[in-house]
Amino acid sequence: MSQLKNLTWPMVEEYLKHSKSIVLPIGSCEQHGPTGLIGTDFMTAEALAEKYCDEHRIIMAPSFNYGMAGHHLGFPGTISLSPETYTKALIDIFNSMIYTGFEKVLIINGHGGNVPFVQAAVSQIKYDNKDSSFETYLENWWKSPSLENYQQEHFGEANGFHATCGEVSLTQHIAEKAFEKIENTQFKIDSNRPKHHPLSASELKKYYPDGRMSSNPGLASKEHGAELERLYLDYLKERYKGIIHEL
Ligand code: NI
């Protein structure tokens, strides 16, 4: 039990007799600076979700790999949905889960830009179904307390906001082979930060010409990544006991 893609419908039906929980990893397909992987945001969400689901025998839905990355389109390799399409796609995914018997979804998110649209999608479902008791839990992994502390302690200000040391470390841990051809480089932290938000694709490229946002991913390591993963799985285990997984 764990990955929906490997189950049959009778297996899912059987699962639903004792659990109504499902985990949905979501991410984004977007540039992560000169030394970070395009797949960073969905690879991290998926790897963390998969380990959590394996450990606690929860079904994991296929990862939704495209997200809200319009502001990164100044860089090749980025593929984005529009805000409207993204929100509607999430509504369809959640409605399918509800219709087929799931009542709780833990969303493990790898990309900050997705957050308002996840909230908009769930709000629309609740607006359209005023008696709905569908429960969603949105987890932005890098913001959980122990991971925030760890990143602050080890990277400080150099963690930045995009292509962070934390996310690059985690991908180095989960996709070590992909980094064989990428040279680890130290970067200066930019200080030319815009005050307004969100940015257009050309604004982002102007303020952050190599795609990093105030980070020095040269501080990342797979050892840090392994530690971040361990801390996060501990956090999920404690936080979602009796909510998503059984006691
Ligand atoms: Ni990212």
Side-chain angles (χ1 to χ4, degrees):
M1 185 66 63
S2 120
Q3 294 205 44
L4 187 60
K5 68 179 181 185
N6 295 329
L7 304 178
T8 64
W9 75 257
M11 290 159 91
V12 179
E13 192 172 70
E14 193 56 35
Y15 170 92
L16 283 165
K17 286 179 188 163
H18 64 87
S19 175
K20 304 290 185 195
S21 300
I22 190 164
V23 174
L24 174 67
I26 62 171
S28 178
C29 180
E30 65 184 47
Q31 69 86 16
H32 273 78
T35 58
L37 306 180
I38 301 277
T40 299
D41 292 351
F42 63 80
M43 291 162 76
T44 50
E46 189 172 48
L48 295 169
E50 195 178 325
K51 292 202 165 108
Y52 168 74
C53 288
D54 275 350
E55 188 180 338
H56 301 286
R57 303 179 58 75
I58 301 297
I59 289 182
M60 180 183 102
S63 170
F64 190 29
N65 294 349
Y66 297 105
M68 264 300 304
H71 45 302
H72 291 292
L73 281 168
F75 300 87
T78 298
I79 301 174
S80 181
L81 300 178
S82 71
E84 187 184 0
T85 306
Y86 185 60
T87 308
K88 284 184 169 171
L90 286 174
I91 290 172
D92 289 350
I93 290 169
F94 294 141
N95 275 331
S96 302
M97 290 171 172
I98 294 168
Y99 187 74
T100 56
F102 291 97
E103 293 174 0
K104 298 174 185 186
V105 57
L106 171 60
I107 304 148
I108 298 192
N109 176 35
H111 175 52
N114 292 340
V115 172
F117 305 95
V118 175
Q119 288 165 339
V122 177
S123 300
Q124 186 68 52
I125 289 170
K126 299 264 172 168
Y127 183 81
D128 293 340
N129 305 280
K130 301 213 169 27
D131 298 322
S132 168
S133 55
F134 182 57
E135 295 176 17
T136 54
Y137 301 87
L138 176 58
E139 274 293 329
N140 304 307
W141 66 258
W142 66 97
K143 280 192 151 178
S144 57
S146 51
L147 271 69
E148 256 193 343
N149 289 342
Y150 185 93
Q151 292 171 101
Q152 178 58 36
E153 188 184 324
H154 289 86
F155 312 125
E157 204 198 348
N159 197 43
F161 310 105
H162 182 68
T164 66
C165 304
E167 61 181 348
V168 173
S169 294
L170 197 47
T171 47
Q172 287 175 344
H173 166 61
I174 61 181
E176 199 177 341
K177 241 183 142 24
F179 284 88
E180 281 173 2
K181 291 191 177 125
I182 300 170
E183 197 182 333
N184 190 38
T185 312
Q186 300 296 326
F187 295 93
K188 274 203 184 129
I189 303 172
D190 47 73
S191 52
N192 181 28
R193 296 175 199 170
K195 300 279 187 288
H196 63 293
H197 179 82
L199 301 180
S200 68
S202 58
E203 285 173 324
L204 192 142
K205 184 103 200 230
K206 181 178 92 184
Y207 287 108
Y208 305 109
D210 71 5
R212 293 172 303 114
M213 296 164 84
S214 312
S215 67
N216 173 15
L219 301 179
S221 75
K222 63 179 196 298
E223 290 75 20
H224 284 309
E227 192 56 13
L228 288 166
E229 180 186 273
R230 189 188 68 73
L231 287 168
Y232 195 59
L233 293 172
D234 284 351
Y235 160 77
L236 290 178
K237 187 176 190 170
E238 198 50 44
R239 169 77 177 82
Y240 291 102
K241 189 170 22 174
I243 300 175
I244 296 294
H245 64 269
E246 286 171 24
L247 295 167

